[in-house]
Amino acid sequence: MDWDDLRIFLAVARAESLSGAGRRLKLDAATVGRRIARLEEGVGAKLFVKSPQGYALSESGDRLLPHAEAAEQVFAGADEELSGIAGQLTGQLRIGAPDGCANYLLPQVCAKIAEDNPGLEIQVVALPRVFNLSKREADMAIAVSRPTAGRLTVQKLSDYHLSLAAHRDYLAKAPPITCKEDLRHHRMIGYIPDMIFDKELDYFAETEAEVMGLASNSAAVQTRMIEAGAGVGIVHDFAIPFAPGVQRVLGDEIRLNRAFWLIRHADDRRSERLTRFAEALGQGLRDEVARLEHAAVET
């Protein structure tokens, strides 16, 4: 059985389509289809069931999947051994992250890791949703809550804080805010309720406000709305230094504690390369949260 055919099999299994697998492998869909047909002929069984929704693993495909993933780990380990340069990380790594983390923390953290490892390509996917590591949408993902299901390795990266905030120009012309009850007289900014993908992002109840005037599924967009003087909302403390004029409100009453978690596929715990990257990422994230939150206090 040829490893290259198994590599294509894994790509189709994760993308659930020939075209999606082709984009990942930089092959056209027809070539991917021919290679899957060749593999099926070689093993004497259909590995996929085609439907209008895409390609789903057959019973034989389900049996082959763990062996293909094991082979992938072996080849990845060999590549790590042979391609490492004086202890540096090389190759491509993709991180999935919520947009607040991706916008305000990861640029600085990844810049430092890339500087220390010139042969490493780091891709940051900033999407307001949970990533599917089983389908290899990313090598690892940062989440705001600890997952409770799946074959995953989870480690806590860092605590962080959020505060109620508004731009000083807004506060200068709006009614004073001395307690939570006063927020009923202000335009509130927050998440679109039916697009909250994690319960840890449901901040609006903390304000005890009744009506939300502006909403977005993006934490970065909410912060920009607040910076524009559009109203009052919950922001990451680490984002405040990037938003001149934004200041915390009711700091003694409303300050939220949350945590970032690093999630990896369970099979990846044997990868020294991914483990070393995770260690650098975790330390860098903790340092950057501490630096920016300290700066926020001084604004």
Side-chain angles (χ1 to χ4, degrees):
M1 193 176 295
D2 185 83
W3 157 243
D4 205 42
D5 288 340
L6 287 178
R7 182 173 66 94
I8 292 173
F9 164 77
L10 285 171
V12 175
R14 290 162 181 167
E16 297 181 345
S17 73
L18 299 182
S19 58
R23 284 192 296 271
R24 295 185 184 187
L25 299 169
K26 298 181 180 179
L27 297 171
D28 61 80
T31 300
V32 174
R34 287 194 298 271
R35 297 293 292 275
I36 291 297
R38 186 176 81 175
L39 178 60
E40 289 178 332
E41 183 179 353
V43 299
K46 282 288 184 184
L47 301 175
F48 293 96
V49 177
K50 187 178 179 181
S51 73
Q53 288 72 42
Y55 281 68
L57 286 171
S58 67
E59 185 177 341
S60 296
D62 274 329
R63 291 200 299 270
L64 178 60
L65 183 63
H67 300 288
E69 289 178 332
E72 181 181 46
Q73 289 296 318
V74 171
F75 276 87
D79 184 62
E80 289 175 21
E81 289 290 331
L82 297 174
S83 64
I85 303 173
Q88 293 182 357
L89 294 167
T90 59
Q92 181 189 95
L93 283 172
R94 178 177 293 178
I95 316 166
D99 74 315
C101 177
N103 275 280
Y104 300 114
L105 297 173
L106 289 185
Q108 305 89 274
V109 174
C110 291
K112 177 63 168 64
I113 296 175
E115 182 180 354
D116 294 339
N117 302 274
L120 180 65
E121 177 190 344
I122 305 172
Q123 298 180 348
V124 177
V125 182
L127 289 176
R129 64 172 176 82
V130 177
F131 286 81
N132 191 326
L133 297 184
S134 297
K135 293 183 179 179
R136 300 295 177 172
E137 292 181 335
D139 295 296
M140 56 185 69
I142 296 172
V144 294
S145 64
R146 181 172 189 145
T148 56
R151 295 183 60 250
L152 303 169
T153 299
V154 182
Q155 69 183 81
K156 186 176 180 179
L157 286 177
S158 176
D159 291 309
Y160 65 95
H161 301 90
L162 305 100
S163 300
L164 189 71
H167 194 276
R168 59 173 173 253
D169 292 343
Y170 173 85
L171 294 172
K173 64 185 180 183
I177 304 174
T178 60
C179 61
K180 288 183 179 181
E181 288 74 19
D182 292 337
L183 296 175
R184 297 173 184 175
H185 308 296
H186 291 263
R187 182 186 299 113
M188 301 302 297
I189 297 169
Y191 278 99
I192 300 171
D194 61 351
M195 298 188 73
I196 295 175
F197 67 91
D198 192 297
K199 60 181 176 59
E200 295 294 334
L201 302 178
D202 190 5
Y203 310 138
F204 193 64
E206 303 280 348
T207 68
E208 297 183 10
E210 297 177 350
V211 179
M212 191 183 304
L214 288 170
S216 172
N217 68 327
S218 164
V221 171
Q222 293 171 41
T223 301
R224 294 301 300 272
M225 288 175 173
I226 293 168
E227 185 184 359
V232 185
I234 300 288
V235 300
H236 297 88
D237 283 12
F238 57 67
I240 293 177
F242 295 95
V246 172
Q247 57 193 61
R248 294 190 293 182
V249 178
L250 298 181
D252 293 335
E253 286 191 61
I254 301 177
R255 193 157 191 251
L256 312 183
N257 299 323
R258 295 291 190 271
F260 287 126
W261 301 86
L262 185 66
I263 305 168
R264 296 164 56 186
H265 195 278
D267 292 338
D268 291 343
R269 66 183 181 273
R270 295 188 293 270
S271 170
E272 180 186 356
R273 173 172 170 265
L274 290 178
T275 298
R276 287 172 54 203
F277 180 81
E279 290 171 353
L281 180 69
Q283 187 60 57
L285 199 73
R286 287 187 290 274
D287 291 346
E288 195 61 11
V289 168
R291 181 183 75 83
L292 291 171
E293 289 198 351
H294 179 72
V297 172
E298 296 183 340
T299 56

